Amino acid sequence: MAVRARRLRAKEFRRLEQSYLLQAEHSPGELERDSLLNLAQGFGYAAEQIERRAVIAKTVVLCAIAALALFAVLYIP
């Protein structure tokens, strides 16, 4: 369940990032555009971190399963 929640959260941050990028593209003011781009960058960074943590968690689980399988093959008669 936690993996799905992380994926949905990352997806929502990506959606917000795209939304702010689109708003910045159509923004008439320089300060407003810079602020919107800064927000988009923050949402992109947050999504990237969530996705990275999800990959690390999957890798740890797969390594643990591989270690258990190796232990079972080598040490259990």
Side-chain angles (χ1 to χ4, degrees), residues 26-44:
H26 298 293
S27 175
E30 184 76 23
L31 182 60
E32 184 181 0
R33 183 177 17 263
D34 288 344
S35 297
L36 290 168
L37 287 173
N38 192 16
L39 284 169
Q41 184 181 19
F43 282 121

Side-chain angles (χ1 to χ4, degrees), residues 6-50:
R6 262 189 244 128
R7 191 172 11 144
L8 289 175
R9 203 171 343 140
K11 196 177 212 182
E12 181 65 18
F13 281 137
R14 288 289 180 202
R15 188 189 66 74
L16 287 168
E17 176 188 24
Q18 292 302 314
S19 173
Y20 280 107
L21 286 173
L22 185 63
Q23 287 180 27
E25 189 177 307
H26 298 293
S27 175
E30 184 76 23
L31 182 60
E32 184 181 0
R33 183 177 17 263
D34 288 344
S35 297
L36 290 168
L37 287 173
N38 192 16
L39 284 169
Q41 184 181 19
F43 282 121
Y45 179 77
E48 183 180 311
Q49 294 302 311
I50 292 168

